[in-house]
Amino acid sequence: FERALLLQCHVGLRMPCTALVEVLLARQCADGLWPAAARLRLARPELLEPWAVIDSGPVFTDDRAVFTTATVLAALGRYARLML
């Protein structure tokens, strides 16, 4: 998940990213997904600075690898459109 976000940054800045692409492609599982790694915290709306509060809201894990896989595919798609 983090490598996919890093790839998005590298592509946006036109930095070399072939190694990141290779790592991401190598990590794809046989079922087409990437290993789940993402977590999403939904901060309570009344918090003005949720990053400063330890329990700012519920955390959801990517137990089905959907969010991680979507993020990787978005990064690879951006790479293909902008760098190839």
Side-chain angles (χ1 to χ4, degrees), residues 2-84:
E2 290 178 6
R3 284 187 179 110
L5 296 177
L6 184 58
L7 177 59
Q8 290 268 18
C9 295
H10 278 230
V11 169
L13 296 170
R14 303 278 201 243
M15 295 174 61
C17 48
T18 304
L20 278 170
V21 170
E22 290 173 357
V23 168
L24 285 172
L25 293 175
R27 301 259 311 148
Q28 187 176 19
C29 301
D31 61 3
L33 300 175
W34 275 262
R39 290 189 200 111
L40 172 66
R41 179 180 302 274
L42 293 180
R44 294 189 304 277
E46 67 271 10
L47 294 175
L48 297 177
E49 297 179 347
W51 55 88
V53 179
I54 291 175
D55 184 24
S56 62
V59 175
F60 299 91
T61 57
D62 188 24
D63 58 341
R64 295 186 182 169
V66 173
F67 191 56
T68 300
T69 298
T71 304
V72 172
L73 290 173
L76 291 172
R78 186 171 187 202
Y79 169 80
R81 282 189 309 278
L82 297 178
M83 302 297 276
L84 297 179

